[in-house]
Amino acid sequence: MWLRPFTNTHARGRPLPLRDLRLAVGFFAGCLILYVLGGPRVMGGDLPVWQAVLPVLVLCTATAFRSTVPLVAVAVGTLTVSVQMAAGGGLGPLLVYTDLLYAAALYGAPWLCRVLQFGTIAATLAATIALVLLGDRSEGVTTGVLIALVLISPVWTAVLIRNHKERADAERQRAAQIDRLAELDRKTVLQTERTRMARELHDLVANHLSAIAIHSSAVLSLTEAQREKDGTAEEDPVLQALSVIRENSVQGLAEMRRMVVLLRSDRGVADDWDRPQLNALGALVEQARPAADAAALTLHTDLPETFPEVSSVIEVTAYRIVQEALTNVLKHASAGRVRICCEAGGEQLTISVDSPLARPDGRARQRPVEQLMTGAGAGLAGMSERAALVGGSFDAGPDRTAPGRWRVRAVLPLAQNT
């Protein structure tokens, strides 16, 4: 706890302690090589072995803590070098001390960096003036330059590197802040667009579906009351079709409202959204059967009793593809047999809808409704896009193995993340 004010407060550029230890060992080995080759001579005179090695050992020990406690390391180094210079000096300790000054200015607290900047300048000037006044002027100036190289150069080199790192950190923080603001703007624009789409869906489509459901319900209620009054038990096929229209409009209105809620929500997917399921494919076919009977179409299903557990994305994709395929069949196919097949095997789910080709005149049955729709082939494009989004494949066209037939086939992967 007592060392906390003296520890490194510079967040970035801090070497690992193992690197400092290696540097200390390298310095110690280098100083020993200098002593063996030429002897420790700087200020004149020879030094005993212990007197030359002991300061180096202290300085190298301080080097091992140069990045963790830079103030303590440079203080120990300053005291050791001062004693060493008074005793006769040595080149090795000076070299180690320059690294301690560099590390203290780079990794130390900001106030320590400022103290070292002005302190080394003041110490250099004081030593130079003292040498000039007390000794030879030329030798004093030369010694002052050497002192400046030892004290000022490592400190100001560290200051330049430190300022560069601080500017780099500031730029990184600024870039991160700009990215956050851009992401916030993107989310705001996206949510605004989703809200606008929800409003348009509610005001345009949902209102029309509500009108269809209300009017069909009113007609059915009046007809039911008239039948009870007349005592008739037979049900008119037109009323059956009207009942299917009401049921589909109510279901479409419910799904439209859920879609509006989903668009207005700030979540990616609403957890409580009542999504279509594979088990509901049978009910979907039964719902389309009255309209198929009226169009002289016979629906045959080949669905498994139990479907495998798949992700919600695959369930929605499979359900919508079958739903759109049935819509196209009821709209375009000529009289005949329609087969809806769903097979789950291996790692894929295969869906196919086989139907007779379109009517000879090439027109759809519900021409007034088709005229209200924009974009021919939008249903096929939508099914293809749904299959591609989950990593599956889609194919629609005349069945080459059965002339006169149209086949819609989709292969979806079972392993799909939600």
Side-chain angles (χ1 to χ4, degrees), residues 25 47 60 65 79 94 99 105 118 122 169 171 195 235 261 272-273 285 317 328 356 365 371-372 385 401 403:
V25 173
L47 295 177
C60 291
F65 300 94
L79 180 61
L94 285 177
D99 180 74
F118 296 106
D169 290 340
E171 290 297 327
T195 303
E235 187 173 358
V261 173
D272 54 351
W273 185 31
V285 175
T317 301
N328 290 340
R365 289 186 180 84
Q371 292 174 353
L372 297 176
E385 291 173 357
T401 61

Side-chain angles (χ1 to χ4, degrees), residues 152-201:
I152 299 178
S153 297
V155 172
W156 283 93
T157 302
V159 169
L160 293 177
I161 297 177
R162 182 181 183 125
N163 292 338
H164 176 74
K165 289 185 176 182
E166 289 178 351
R167 286 195 299 269
D169 290 340
E171 290 297 327
R172 278 192 291 266
Q173 293 177 2
R174 181 172 176 271
Q177 185 178 9
I178 292 175
D179 290 341
R180 289 193 294 268
L181 291 176
E183 180 66 17
L184 181 62
D185 291 341
R186 187 191 68 82
K187 290 182 178 180
T188 302
V189 172
L190 180 61
Q191 186 60 35
T192 302
E193 183 64 18
R194 287 161 63 100
T195 303
R196 186 190 68 82
M197 292 173 60
R199 183 173 60 251
E200 294 296 331
L201 284 174

Side-chain angles (χ1 to χ4, degrees), residues 209-222 224 235 238-254 287:
L209 290 176
S210 298
I212 294 173
I214 292 173
H215 285 81
S216 59
S217 298
V219 173
L220 289 173
S221 298
L222 293 175
E224 184 66 24
E235 187 173 358
V238 176
L239 298 181
Q240 294 180 358
L242 190 60
S243 178
V244 173
I245 292 174
R246 183 193 63 176
E247 184 178 351
N248 280 274
S249 61
V250 172
Q251 182 180 358
L253 182 61
Q287 185 178 354

